[in-house]
Amino acid sequence: MIRRTSTGRFGFAAGALLMIPLLLVSGCGDPGRLGDGETYAQARERFSAFAAGVHSVIMAIEPTEWSVVDGAYGAHPTGCQLGLSEEGGYRLVAVRGLELPGRDPLDVAAAASEALASLGIESDTTERGQADAREVTVVAEGGVAERTVVTIRPATGQVRVSSETECAPGSAHDLATEVFAEERLPADIWRRLPATEGPSSVPQFFFPPDGPVYYDETGVPVQPQPLVTDPPMPAG
């Protein structure tokens, strides 16, 4: 196994967005607050920094249209546990995929590592296996995400970038109702989330019922994908 380490030299300015004070003032109601945690606006800032970091990495690897894997666009919150406490929180998960047959996997890994370093994030690169089982992996922790993993499989040319935020205070359910502007989420809510991300994509954190859909009823991405240049924002 070969291991390489890349060290970032400076902090990512957008990472400061993750340090927004929670302003938990007892006795003061806040209609935008997610239970006892962050407000929707704070969650949106967290998402914006996270999405910008993921976009930087995938565009550094290859500036083209990437697939959103398994609907993991990054805006649909999932529940998590805050540290060792029993208190619940939310996290955001983004997964992107692309096939780059014939590309040197170490070149792909180097591009990912350099993009992470430009964000002030250290990463480790490892190689495992041989021939068809060979796999090159770049792993980074901290910065705009708790953990980011870039996996390259030379035999198929498959490149996958997975990233997730730290567990943040707030209700995943309450945040989802803000993101999708519905109290009871329909079963096909995933159709509202973009199926691809490319050079001209802009981050979106609000998907109301009257917005565009990115998949047909069978789960196939619609072509062409709806082009959003001015993302909608919730009223107020």
Side-chain angles (χ1 to χ4, degrees), residues 85-167:
S85 71
E86 295 182 359
E87 185 178 355
Y90 78 90
R91 73 167 76 249
L92 305 173
V93 179
V95 185
R96 305 289 183 265
L98 184 67
E99 290 188 1
L100 293 173
R103 278 280 294 273
D104 185 332
L106 294 182
D107 287 346
V108 175
S113 296
E114 290 171 8
L116 290 163
S118 73
L119 301 177
I121 305 171
E122 299 180 0
S123 63
D124 289 335
T125 299
T126 59
E127 293 184 56
R128 296 183 177 86
Q130 297 179 349
D132 288 350
R134 184 185 179 202
E135 183 175 283
V136 178
T137 306
V138 180
V139 178
E141 296 182 349
V144 296
E146 182 174 63
R147 182 177 173 86
T148 300
V149 179
V150 180
T151 306
I152 308 113
R153 297 185 174 91
T156 61
Q158 183 187 65
V159 180
R160 179 169 292 193
V161 178
S162 305
S163 190
E164 63 180 33
T165 65
E166 63 183 357
C167 188

Side-chain angles (χ1 to χ4, degrees), residues 168-204:
S171 164
H173 170 76
D174 290 351
L175 178 54
T177 62
E178 296 274 359
V179 170
F180 296 104
E182 287 191 89
E183 188 66 30
R184 301 174 71 89
L185 302 183
D188 65 348
I189 198 74
W190 48 270
R191 296 184 62 201
R192 300 184 200 173
L193 297 170
T196 62
E197 180 175 349
S200 62
S201 297
V202 295
Q204 301 181 64

Side-chain angles (χ1 to χ4, degrees), residues 49-120:
F50 173 59
V54 171
H55 186 80
S56 295
V57 172
I58 65 174
M59 291 298 108
I61 294 173
E62 185 69 22
T64 188
E65 294 291 324
W66 288 66
S67 296
V68 173
V69 179
D70 296 332
Y73 173 72
H76 194 165
T78 58
C80 56
Q81 183 176 328
L82 286 168
L84 299 177
S85 71
E86 295 182 359
E87 185 178 355
Y90 78 90
R91 73 167 76 249
L92 305 173
V93 179
V95 185
R96 305 289 183 265
L98 184 67
E99 290 188 1
L100 293 173
R103 278 280 294 273
D104 185 332
L106 294 182
D107 287 346
V108 175
S113 296
E114 290 171 8
L116 290 163
S118 73
L119 301 177

